[in-house]
Every structure is written in structure tokens, then in C-alpha cells.
Amino acid sequence: MIGREERWRRHVPMRPSYRCRACGLDWPCQDARLALLIGFRGDRVGLLVYLGSHLARALQELPEVNPTLLVGRFLHWVPRRR
């Protein structure tokens, strides 16, 4: 049986499509988001920098996708600071 953390590690982006390697959904999928929140726990800025670097690549590799949609997909799910 694969533990929860191992399952999350498989939810990584396939480039250039930026779909999840494990489930085929748009990355970051729900499992990837959860894994990222756990992995970057307490480091919101680090998480945003990491996601921003993926966003920059996705903007180059997915020119047919509306940039606003990509920004929402990559960044708008991150919890706000309190």
C-alpha cells in the first residue's frame, strides 16, 4: 500500500502540457496543491516563488491558453496571509 505522502509525490507536472503526471488533471491538481501546502508549510513566499517559476514556463509553453486562466490556476488557490 502506498502511503499518502508517496501518492502526493507522484502529482508532478508533465511538460509542456502542465497536466498532472499521476491523474492527468491540470497541474497543480488537488493532490499536488495539498502536497505543496504541506511541503512549503510556513513558507508562503517560497511556495509563491516556486509556483511563479512554473507559471513563467507554462506561459511560454502554453501560448494558446489565456494568461489570466494560468495565473488563476497556478497562484490564486494559495491561501492569503492573515
Side-chain angles (χ1 to χ4, degrees):
M1 180 158 95
I2 296 175
R4 283 184 161 179
E5 289 184 25
E6 181 61 33
R7 181 178 42 136
W8 293 333
R9 285 188 205 119
R10 294 184 298 160
H11 290 270
V12 296
M14 285 188 297
R15 290 179 53 208
S17 68
Y18 271 91
R19 300 198 59 85
C20 177
R21 187 173 303 278
C23 65
L25 298 174
D26 286 343
W27 189 89
C29 63
Q30 288 297 329
D31 283 338
R33 291 176 183 189
L34 181 57
L36 289 166
L37 287 173
I38 290 169
F40 283 91
R41 187 175 330 164
D43 186 9
R44 183 176 184 274
V45 172
L47 174 58
L48 289 170
V49 168
Y50 176 76
L51 291 170
S53 67
H54 278 290
L55 173 61
R57 279 187 233 119
L59 288 168
Q60 292 175 344
E61 294 176 358
L62 300 171
E64 70 283 357
V65 179
N66 184 326
T68 305
L69 294 175
L70 287 175
V71 170
R73 177 172 139 189
F74 280 80
L75 301 177
H76 287 177
W77 62 270
V78 177
R80 305 257 190 278
R81 245 189 298 192
R82 297 176 196 232

